[in-house]
């Protein structure tokens, strides 16, 4: 039995990179994007090939297996293992050189594909294969799985783009595999020479034959290409440390033809007929995977056919030629780059959206990428559908129809014994079906554990025995990735769901999309790792903390993995009290970006609040939870005592401010925001309001508007009334039941009953996990709002985070109170209110560019389309940055978060403001965003209401 401490010590002594045997490191690497789970002994992040050789030597001495791992997005289980995981993404992630003349690049295995594409693009070049995970998959993983992507009809698989590899064998030999037997280990050539007949007849000819070892690449007529034979070997033969890859000339212009068909079979049957036109892609997907709002031509399934050319006109002409030749219901040709990206995003997100059936039922990989000859794809899909129906299963195929490769997630029951038995039976019959159509069990993502057991059905026992002999030549000790391809583990063993609790966990939130089951909510993360994208464009937010740190534990996936292990209780053994989970969630900004940007809508902000609630139950909380988590209480006290001046004076006094920040858990680098001398509601009560008006709207006096930015509330009132709306505030009563507010607003709402307290969305309590208190506050708010809910008046919420809390958190936390859902349905943003209730109003014309950032909660929960339209109507041009400002409520103020907070701001917000023209209007609807801009850049951001109100005053 391996002595973990001795192994760890040996690795630390031999390796210069990080050696991590902690519970957190192991928990983060138990799974990839498959159905499987294995618990490793530890993780090593090698710095170079010497480190790789040293780690292999130590592990060989201890008899411990080694699993090379890139981005961890493998779908068949091949990136999981019980020994030592080599993580290449931390250090061995560089582009070593790029030769535009030779059209080659030298890369390390941990380099993310998009980084190579960015470096090649200025030279008019690109790496041909491009999986949908291009923003986070690594070149080493692509070589290990022989990945392909949507452009394979033009540029083939990864194997077609590999020229030479640098490999360390399990016994420490350094080899340079290439063509003409270059870099072959001793004995490999003799083995091949004795099996020439089998190699020439035992491998089906089709563009996406990925299953098994590519031993036929070693045939003399194929150039005895040792490098190519290693592609798709899933880290079982040698450890890749460097690769020389070919680049292709990228078209100067592109067009995308979207062809509509009645159903997926029609699309599949048409795909092969388009290949003679030389398209760059022929991708297929059905309506079940397409968002309802997607701008696609009418139909039940579509082919995404991309064409290239030297000019846009040439690319469009080729696309239109294909449209004329195709027998379609409808078609669309797009050349605009932004619109093409939006359409492609629908296809790329399918690997995540496919994990949920239209009715919300879970669906899983396992038969993710079978491939058949393209001409047989339509017939295969009909048989495939029939087989699923025979087993009572459902799934929606999509994928690389031009290459005959189909992706699908199926609603397997992998939680019960009968369901797992059906999974096995279906897998065996589907393997036979694929083979009967002349296909390959894997057409892109590799065999791993999901399909390796079934390889004899495709190749026969003798060819599979040949694979074992090849493995023996390269890896005689069986050190590398055991259980994959050769001597495979059963396809129904090591399932990642088997360790989860069978009964629902007692939780505070309702988790309506997951049947109230927290385990099901955590299971949403299937590991496609979109959260690991290191650079984003457009409005996307997820995942700012990962982009700031580059650490897996600070990605949405990493946190979901730790929560999974917490529920499993095998590795993380202290449940809700886990320090590993707490530390990983500590840098979660609760930006909610994952709720919209994650293809399966993982909601880590809610999971974090849930965890903090249980973690600190009956225990002392961090000081920041009492200070900033209960901000409405403290600011309410300041407002009632009219002590804002005193508080501001103390906060600006250096020594006193330092003591206050230290005691309150506030970062020393932060300035404490100034409290307004007059609250928004006090201004409201003394103002002279119009005597009449139009449609009644109720303006929500959130804590930030009330005490810190009353100018935003005043501006909103000015604009809403200018638009012909009648503004009122919610009931706000002092202790003892005496109404607060003018008679006009009270009569408008028919306030007949005295109530106590002030409305509050509970945001600060929710974000710090004080859920009992949040429920109390929200219940009191619902009591106060009953007169409002009895009317048809909308609630206008100016602070995006408060609007998001009312629209989503409140009904999920008060899932047993139907009033919460009624309240959520009434919540409107400032722009939504004007669009719905003052549609004929024309805003003042500013005719100026804008800069700034869309609030992360606005993007994730509320939507920004009405804001875009309002800005356009006011002549405010340009786009706001995406991402998160990094302050995120209390996050950026909390001690220990300042550097990450600043890094998040530097990701997109601050550069967008610095690069904006001098006359640009800096928009920031959130108080946090405005505070971050002021404290880090000395720039005053303004709410859109303030900008419009100022324009009204000047006209």
């Amino acid at each position: 039995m391996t002595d973990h401490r001795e192994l760890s010590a040996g690795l630390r002594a031999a390796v210069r990179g990080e050696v991590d045997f902690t519970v957190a490191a192991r928990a983060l690497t138990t799974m990839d994007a498959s159905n499987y789970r294995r618990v490793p002994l530890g993780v090593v992040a090698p710095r170079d090939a010497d480190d790789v050789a040293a780690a292999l030597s130590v592990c060989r001495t201890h008899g411990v297996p080694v699993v090379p791992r890139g981005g961890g997005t493998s779908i068949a289980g091949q990136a999981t293992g019980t020994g030592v995981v080599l993580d290449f993404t931390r250090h061995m992630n560089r582009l070593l050189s790029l030769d535009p003349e030779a059209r080659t690049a030298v890369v390390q295995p941990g380099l993310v594909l998009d980084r190579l594409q960015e470096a090649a693009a200025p030279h008019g070049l690109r790496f041909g294969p491009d999986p949908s995970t291009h923003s986070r998959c690594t070149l080493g993983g692509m070589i290990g799985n022989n990945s392909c992507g949507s452009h394979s009809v033009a540029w083939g698989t990864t194997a077609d783009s590999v020229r030479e590899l640098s490999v360390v064998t399990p016994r420490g030999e350094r080899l340079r595999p290439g063509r003409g037997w270059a870099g072959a280990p001793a004995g490999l050539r003799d083995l091949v020479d004795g099996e020439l007949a089998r190699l020439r007849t035992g491998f089906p000819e089709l563009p996406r034959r990925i299953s098994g070892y590519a031993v036929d690449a070693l045939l003399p007529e194929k150039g005895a290409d040792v490098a190519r034979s290693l592609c798709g070997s899933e880290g079982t033969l040698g450890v890749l440390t460097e690769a020389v890859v070919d680049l292709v000339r990228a078209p100067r212009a592109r067009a995308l033809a979207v062809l509509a068909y009645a159903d997926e079979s029609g699309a599949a049957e048409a795909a092969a007929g388009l290949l003679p036109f030389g398209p760059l892609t022929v991708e297929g997907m059905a309506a079940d995977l397409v968002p309802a709002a997607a701008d696609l031509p009418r139909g039940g399934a579509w082919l995404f056919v991309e064409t290239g050319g030297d000019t846009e006109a040439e690319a469009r002409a080729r696309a239109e030629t294909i449209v004329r030749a195709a027998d379609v219901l409808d078609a669309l040709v797009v050349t605009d780059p932004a619109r093409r990206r939006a359409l492609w995003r629908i296809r790329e997100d399918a690997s995540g959206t496919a994990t949920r059936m239209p009715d919300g039922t879970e669906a899983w990989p396992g038969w993710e990428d079978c491939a058949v000859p393209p001409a047989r794809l339509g017939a295969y899909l009909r048989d495939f559908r029939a087989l699923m129906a025979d087993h009572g299963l459902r799934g929606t195929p999509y994928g690389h129809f031009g290459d005959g490769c189909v992706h699908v997630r199926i609603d397997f029951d992998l939680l019960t014994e009968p369901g797992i038995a059906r999974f096995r039976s279906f897998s065996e019959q589907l393997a036979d079906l694929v083979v009967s159509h002349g296909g390959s069990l894997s057409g892109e993502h590799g065999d791993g554990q999901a399909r390796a057991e079934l390889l004899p059905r495709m190749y026969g026992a003798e060819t599979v025995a040949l694979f074992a002999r090849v493995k023996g030549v390269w890896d005689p000790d069986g050190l590398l990735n055991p259980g994959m391809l050769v001597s495979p583990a059963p396809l129904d063993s090591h399932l990642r769901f088997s360790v989860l609790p069978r009964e629902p966990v007692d939780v505070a939130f309702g988790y309506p999309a997951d049947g109230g089951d927290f385990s099901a909510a955590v299971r949403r993360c299937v590991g496609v790792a979109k959260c690991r994208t290191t650079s984003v464009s457009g409005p996307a937010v997820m995942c700012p903390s990962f982009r700031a740190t580059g650490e897996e534990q600070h990605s949405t996936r990493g946190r979901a993995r730790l929560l999974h292990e917490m529920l499993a209780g095998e590795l993380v053994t202290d449940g809700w009290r886990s320090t590993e989970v707490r530390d990983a969630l500590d840098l979660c900004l609760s930006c909610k970006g994952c709720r919209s940007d994650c293809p399966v809508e993982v909601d880590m902000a809610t999971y974090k609040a849930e965890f903090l609630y249980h973690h600190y139950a009956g225990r002392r909380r961090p000081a920041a939870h009492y200070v900033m988590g209960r901000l409405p209480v403290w600011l309410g006290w300041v407002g009632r005592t009219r002590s804002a001046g005193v508080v501001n004076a103390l906060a600006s006094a250096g020594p006193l401010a330092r003591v206050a920040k230290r005691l309150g858990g506030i970062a020393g680098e932060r300035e404490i925001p100034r409290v307004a001398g007059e609250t928004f509601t006090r201004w409201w009560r003394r103002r002279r309001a119009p005597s009449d008006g139009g449609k009644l709207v109720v303006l929500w006096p959130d804590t930030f508007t009330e005490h810190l930015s009353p100018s935003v509330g005043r501006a909103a009132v000015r604009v809403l009334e200018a638009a012909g709306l009648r503004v009122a505030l919610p009931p706000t009563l002092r202790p003892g039941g005496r109404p607060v507010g003018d008679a006009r607003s009270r009569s408008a709402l028919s306030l007949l009953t005295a109530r106590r307290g002030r409305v509050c969305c509970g945001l600060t309590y929710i974000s710090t996990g004080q859920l009992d208190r949040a429920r109390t506050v929200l219940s009191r708010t619902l009591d106060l709002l009953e007169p409002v809910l009895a009317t048809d008046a909308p609630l206008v919420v100016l602070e995006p985070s408060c609007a998001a809390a009312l629209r989503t958190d409140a009904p999920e936390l008060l899932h047993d109170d139907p009033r919460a859902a009624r309240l959520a349905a009434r919540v409107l943003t400032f722009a939504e209110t004007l669009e719905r209730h003052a549609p004929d109003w024309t805003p003042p014309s500013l005719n100026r560019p804008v800069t700034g950032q869309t609030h992360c909660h606005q993007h994730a929960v509320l939507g920004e389309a009405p804001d875009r339209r309002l800005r356009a109507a006011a002549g405010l041009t340009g786009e706001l940055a995406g991402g998160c400002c990094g302050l995120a409520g209390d996050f950026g103020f909390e001690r220990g978060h300042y550097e990450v907070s600043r890094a998040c701001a530097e990701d997109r917000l601050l550069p967008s403001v610095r690069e904006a023209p001098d006359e640009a209007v800096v928009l920031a609807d959130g108080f946090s965003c405005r505070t971050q801009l002021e404290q880090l850049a000395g720039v005053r951001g303004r709410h859109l209401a303030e900008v419009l109100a100022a324009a009204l005053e000047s006209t």
Side-chain angles (χ1 to χ4, degrees):
M1 183 175 179
T2 303
D3 185 321
H4 295 185
R5 288 174 296 182
E6 186 177 328
L7 173 63
S8 176
L11 287 167
R12 291 177 193 281
V15 173
R16 292 180 297 110
E18 290 82 2
V19 176
D20 197 342
F21 275 55
T22 63
V23 167
R26 297 166 66 201
L28 290 167
T29 48
T30 55
M31 293 174 278
D32 50 14
S34 71
N35 298 326
Y36 301 102
R37 170 185 177 271
R38 289 178 177 81
V39 180
L41 298 176
V43 180
V44 173
R47 290 189 175 274
D48 51 27
D50 291 341
D51 267 2
V52 171
L56 287 170
S57 177
V58 172
C59 290
R60 186 173 64 252
T61 299
H62 288 270
V64 171
V66 175
V67 179
R69 181 176 169 114
T73 57
S74 291
I75 292 179
Q78 61 267 53
T80 68
T82 57
V84 169
V85 172
L86 298 182
D87 177 7
F88 288 98
T89 62
R90 185 170 301 183
H91 300 301
M92 297 181 68
N93 56 11
R94 290 174 294 156
L95 171 62
L96 299 178
S97 65
L98 192 151
D99 186 339
E101 296 301 320
R103 297 186 189 177
T104 61
V106 182
V107 303
Q108 291 184 314
L111 178 68
V112 170
L113 174 59
D114 270 2
R115 304 292 80 75
L116 173 59
Q117 304 291 38
E118 290 164 3
H123 305 287
L125 302 174
R126 56 165 290 143
F127 189 68
D130 57 344
S132 60
T133 54
H134 53 83
S135 63
R136 60 269 190 197
C137 69
T138 63
L139 271 294
M142 292 180 66
I143 292 169
N145 290 336
N146 195 8
S147 299
C148 308
S150 58
H151 289 86
S152 58
V153 294
W155 297 314
T157 71
T158 296
D160 295 312
S161 295
V162 168
R163 181 172 295 192
E164 185 179 71
L165 304 176
S166 295
V167 169
V168 181
T169 70
R171 291 190 173 179
E173 189 177 4
R174 312 285 183 98
L175 299 176
R176 297 277 293 181
R179 294 176 64 86
W181 289 109
L188 183 62
R189 185 168 187 171
D190 290 342
L191 187 157
V192 168
D193 285 346
E195 296 285 352
L196 293 177
R198 182 175 307 283
L199 295 179
R200 287 178 173 131
T201 60
F203 291 78
E205 289 293 334
L206 70 160
R208 288 295 193 96
R209 192 251 304 159
I210 305 298
S211 280
Y213 288 138
V215 193
D216 59 322
L218 298 172
L219 285 167
E221 60 266 31
K222 294 186 177 182
D225 194 338
V226 182
R228 188 183 186 96
S229 76
L230 284 171
C231 294
S233 59
E234 302 179 14
T236 62
L237 302 182
V239 179
L240 176 70
T241 60
E242 195 176 295
V244 181
V245 298
D246 290 322
L247 305 175
V248 297
R249 181 66 61 188
R252 295 178 184 272
R254 301 190 193 203
L256 177 63
V258 183
L259 313 180
Y261 297 86
D263 53 37
E264 73 198 10
S265 291
E269 289 174 341
L274 304 180
L275 299 179
F277 294 94
L280 301 176
T281 68
V282 183
E283 299 287 290
M285 64 190 306
D288 287 351
L289 295 175
V290 176
D295 183 18
L296 294 177
R298 60 182 180 86
W302 298 268
L303 292 179
F304 286 51
V305 184
E306 190 175 69
T307 57
D310 287 335
T311 65
E312 181 179 304
E314 184 179 343
R316 174 179 281 277
R318 289 176 177 173
E320 290 172 343
T321 297
I322 289 175
V323 170
R324 288 192 296 271
D327 183 13
V328 297
L329 294 177
D330 197 1
L332 172 71
V333 175
V334 177
T335 55
D336 175 66
R339 195 173 179 197
R340 282 194 295 108
R341 281 195 300 271
L343 290 168
W344 273 122
R345 196 171 297 120
I346 298 171
R347 164 62 186 86
E348 291 177 353
D349 283 350
S351 60
T353 54
T355 62
R356 282 293 186 277
M357 303 301 295
D359 62 359
T361 305
E362 295 169 311
W364 305 108
W367 283 95
E368 174 68 19
D369 63 329
C370 300
V372 299
R376 296 189 62 92
L377 183 59
Y380 164 72
L381 282 177
R382 284 191 293 272
D383 290 345
F384 172 72
R385 284 285 192 183
L387 182 63
M388 282 201 298
D390 289 345
H391 285 267
L393 296 169
R394 297 174 299 160
T396 303
Y398 66 99
H400 314 293
F401 282 17
D403 272 337
C405 181
V406 174
H407 298 322
V408 66
R409 301 292 175 99
I410 300 174
D411 64 339
F412 295 119
D413 168 15
L414 299 177
L415 298 172
T416 68
E417 288 188 11
I420 294 171
R422 181 170 58 171
F423 168 61
R424 167 170 281 280
S425 174
F426 175 83
S427 299
E428 292 170 343
Q429 293 178 47
L430 181 54
D432 291 337
L433 176 63
V434 171
V435 172
S436 73
H437 281 276
S440 173
L441 303 186
S442 172
E444 179 166 20
H445 295 144
D447 297 310
Q449 185 180 339
R451 289 175 283 273
E453 181 189 354
L454 302 172
L455 285 177
R457 296 172 182 257
M458 175 180 170
Y459 285 111
E462 292 182 349
T463 299
V464 171
L466 173 61
F467 293 159
R469 291 166 62 197
V470 171
K471 166 78 167 174
V473 169
W474 282 95
D475 183 17
D477 305 306
L479 190 72
L480 292 180
N481 215 359
M484 306 298 156
L485 288 175
V486 171
S487 301
L491 62 87
D492 52 358
S493 64
H494 303 292
L495 292 171
R496 68 186 180 102
F497 317 105
S498 62
V499 295
L500 293 177
R502 289 294 176 262
E503 297 298 324
V505 179
D506 185 23
V507 287
F509 283 97
Y511 302 100
D514 297 290
D517 186 351
F518 183 67
S519 295
V522 171
R523 285 200 306 267
R524 278 182 173 271
C525 179
V526 293
V528 296
K530 191 176 179 182
C531 51
R532 282 181 56 96
T533 302
T534 54
S535 61
V536 294
S537 59
V541 172
M542 181 183 73
C543 177
S545 52
F546 175 78
R547 289 200 299 280
T549 69
E551 298 287 344
E552 173 77 9
Q553 68 173 332
H554 299 137
S555 69
T556 304
R557 180 180 73 171
R559 294 172 180 129
R561 291 291 184 256
L562 284 162
L563 287 167
H564 184 110
E565 295 303 328
M566 179 194 81
L567 293 172
E570 176 186 336
L571 187 56
V572 177
T573 58
D574 45 358
W576 294 110
R577 301 296 199 198
S578 167
T579 55
E580 293 85 8
V581 179
R582 181 201 64 199
D583 291 347
L585 288 169
D586 181 56
L587 291 188
C588 171
L589 287 84
S590 297
C591 67
K592 292 186 178 288
C594 47
R595 186 173 179 126
S596 61
D597 295 347
C598 172
V600 291
E601 299 176 356
V602 168
D603 186 359
M604 194 53 62
T606 298
Y607 305 170
K608 176 182 179 179
E610 186 78 63
F611 175 82
L612 292 176
Y613 171 61
H614 296 281
H615 185 76
Y616 289 111
R619 296 203 293 179
R620 188 181 187 86
R621 287 175 166 270
H625 287 199
Y626 298 107
V627 174
M628 290 175 283
R630 300 185 181 181
L631 191 65
V633 173
W634 310 127
L635 289 178
W637 178 83
V638 172
R640 287 192 300 274
T641 59
R642 303 196 179 193
S643 54
V646 176
V647 170
N648 291 336
L650 292 174
S652 61
L656 290 175
R658 285 193 292 272
V659 171
K661 286 188 281 189
R662 186 165 59 251
L663 293 176
I666 299 173
E669 299 91 340
R670 288 293 178 185
E671 297 176 20
I672 298 175
R674 295 180 62 83
V675 181
E678 180 182 49
T679 66
F680 170 61
T681 53
R682 189 168 291 124
W683 168 84
W684 169 264
R685 290 195 297 270
R686 70 173 177 79
R687 72 186 288 264
R688 178 173 296 177
S691 58
D692 55 12
K695 167 72 178 178
L696 175 68
V697 298
V698 179
L699 187 61
W700 183 272
D702 63 84
T703 296
F704 306 99
T705 300
E706 171 73 359
H707 298 286
L708 301 171
S709 295
S711 61
V712 173
R714 297 194 297 267
V717 171
R718 173 74 174 88
V719 175
L720 293 171
E721 290 182 343
L725 300 173
R726 183 159 48 106
V727 182
L729 265 60
T732 303
L733 306 181
R734 289 180 178 146
R738 187 161 63 86
V740 176
D742 58 30
R744 177 184 58 81
S745 63
R746 293 202 305 276
S747 62
L749 296 172
S750 301
L751 303 181
L752 304 177
T753 306
R755 304 171 191 275
R756 298 170 59 88
R758 176 184 295 281
V759 295
C760 178
C761 69
L763 171 68
T764 60
Y765 305 111
I766 293 170
S767 63
T768 53
Q770 301 180 70
L771 300 185
D772 281 345
R773 193 172 184 88
R775 282 181 64 92
T776 299
V777 167
L778 283 168
S779 294
R780 183 191 67 203
T781 293
L782 289 171
D783 292 340
L784 285 165
L785 286 175
E786 283 186 356
V788 178
L789 296 178
T791 73
D792 65 351
L795 281 163
V796 186
V797 186
L798 302 174
E799 176 64 38
S801 55
C802 295
L806 290 168
R807 194 174 283 183
T808 60
D809 294 328
E812 292 175 14
L813 188 59
L814 296 181
H815 48 90
D816 50 354
D817 189 336
R819 297 179 302 170
R822 287 162 50 203
L823 169 62
R826 293 286 186 86
V827 171
L828 296 180
T829 66
F830 175 71
E832 285 174 332
T833 303
L834 290 170
E835 185 169 84
R836 296 187 192 183
H837 298 291
D840 297 327
W841 179 67
T842 300
S845 181
L846 287 96
N847 298 318
R848 292 175 64 185
V850 297
T851 187
Q853 188 171 53
T854 300
H855 193 287
C856 50
H857 289 181
Q858 178 103 33
H859 165 77
V861 175
L862 307 169
E864 201 208 1
D867 293 75
R868 288 174 178 269
R869 290 190 285 269
L870 179 57
R871 293 199 303 266
L876 294 171
T877 59
E879 296 294 330
L880 300 184
C884 178
C885 74
L887 195 61
D890 68 301
F891 175 86
F893 276 99
E894 193 168 344
R895 186 184 301 132
H897 293 172
Y898 179 77
E899 292 302 326
V900 170
S901 174
R902 187 180 189 98
C904 291
E906 289 287 0
D907 183 36
R908 302 183 70 185
L909 173 60
L910 297 185
S912 71
V913 172
R914 293 190 193 109
E915 295 164 7
D918 293 339
E919 69 274 16
V921 176
V922 181
L923 287 177
D925 281 3
F927 175 77
S928 292
C929 305
R930 295 194 295 273
T931 303
Q932 187 80 311
L933 280 168
E934 183 179 354
Q935 295 197 0
L936 297 186
V939 172
R940 181 176 181 267
R942 292 189 291 170
H943 194 287
L944 181 57
E946 293 181 288
V947 175
L948 295 178
L952 287 172
E953 295 298 332
S954 64
T955 56

